[in-house]
Amino acid sequence: MRSARETTSPRGCPGRKLRWHAFAVAFGMLPAFAAVRQAFMRVFHRQGVCTLPSSKLRLQVPEGRIPVAIVAPGSFSPPTLLHLRMFEEARDALERTGGKFKVVGGYMSPVHDAYGKASLAPAHHRLSMVEAAVSDSDWIMADSWECLCRSEWTPTVEVVSRFAAELSKVPVAVGSNRPQCGKVQLVMLCGGDVLQSFNATKPSGERVWPDDDVEVIVGQHGLVCVGRGKADLGAIARESTVLGKHLDKIVLAKPRVLTGISSSVVRQYLASNQSIRYLVHDKVRDYIFKHKLNELPNWQ
């Protein structure tokens, strides 16, 4: 592992060395500087980067198919191979649903730093890792709007609504028809744990997901859920008062192969100085060590 970059002080005093990486990591993690860092990154990225990426979108689908885009909001600290595999499972499940859908693209949307989850790496690092993870995908893209273009945390329902609004501006041709806007349907991708959380309540009695939010996310748009264990996702959906009303808008995928890969497991491997190869994309692994994210205090 390469040592931290060192240089002598401006006066050239022997023995007085500055460890710039340690300073940068500390600066990025200090709460006092978090707002300054976030504001800088928003200004730096606003031009062009805050618009919805569309370079990988498929702009023509077969006759009789509904164009659909898959959106996955998440922490991605770091993004893993399972995150990418979930997109593939979701696409297969959607396109097997009676030949009804054709997936035209997918998006990973890292959450804002202000979400407050203890294990979050700084947003610009998480976005860069997601970009690295999808760099060789021909249909999955990274979107920066949620994590860098907002001044605060944005509820998932607003993130989903923004994607839907932007995708409605994309002209897509169905069969031999001329391209038209407003054709792309959005579905949110989630794991079984998130599906279960739609039924959960906080200790205060307040619902984790307000019913109005679920109505928008599932009722107006749609949900594709990829199971990670043996839980009966269909039963979970049917037992929910809100989800039960929109079973026709929920597609369930049950992978043939189940793995225990997760961001928390990757962080545990890093904290133990063990290999994370084949748990994350090689480019994500390279990025982590290049920027020494394995040394982040909240990843220990």
Side-chain angles (χ1 to χ4, degrees), residues 59-72:
L59 302 179
Q60 185 165 13
V61 301
E63 187 71 44
R65 295 291 191 98
I66 299 173
V68 60
I70 301 172
V71 173

Side-chain angles (χ1 to χ4, degrees), residues 135-176:
S135 60
D136 52 8
S137 169
D138 61 358
W139 69 284
I140 308 172
M141 292 161 278
D143 185 68
S144 67
W145 182 84
E146 182 183 359
C147 66
L148 292 184
C149 303
R150 303 290 286 170
S151 60
E152 58 186 4
W153 171 72
T154 304
T156 301
V157 65
E158 295 180 28
V159 175
V160 168
S161 296
R162 177 259 175 180
F163 270 107
E166 292 299 315
L167 287 165
S168 71
K169 303 173 187 176
V170 178
V172 174
V174 179
S176 59

Side-chain angles (χ1 to χ4, degrees), residues 14 105 126 187 255 261 285:
R126 288 184 288 114
V187 296
I261 299 175
R285 174 183 174 276

Side-chain angles (χ1 to χ4, degrees), residues 195-216:
L195 187 73
Q196 289 178 302
S197 73
F198 282 131
N199 295 330
T201 56
K202 301 176 183 178
S204 63
E206 180 184 4
R207 293 185 64 80
V208 173
W209 293 84
D211 287 353
D212 289 346
D213 289 9
V214 180
E215 285 286 350
V216 172

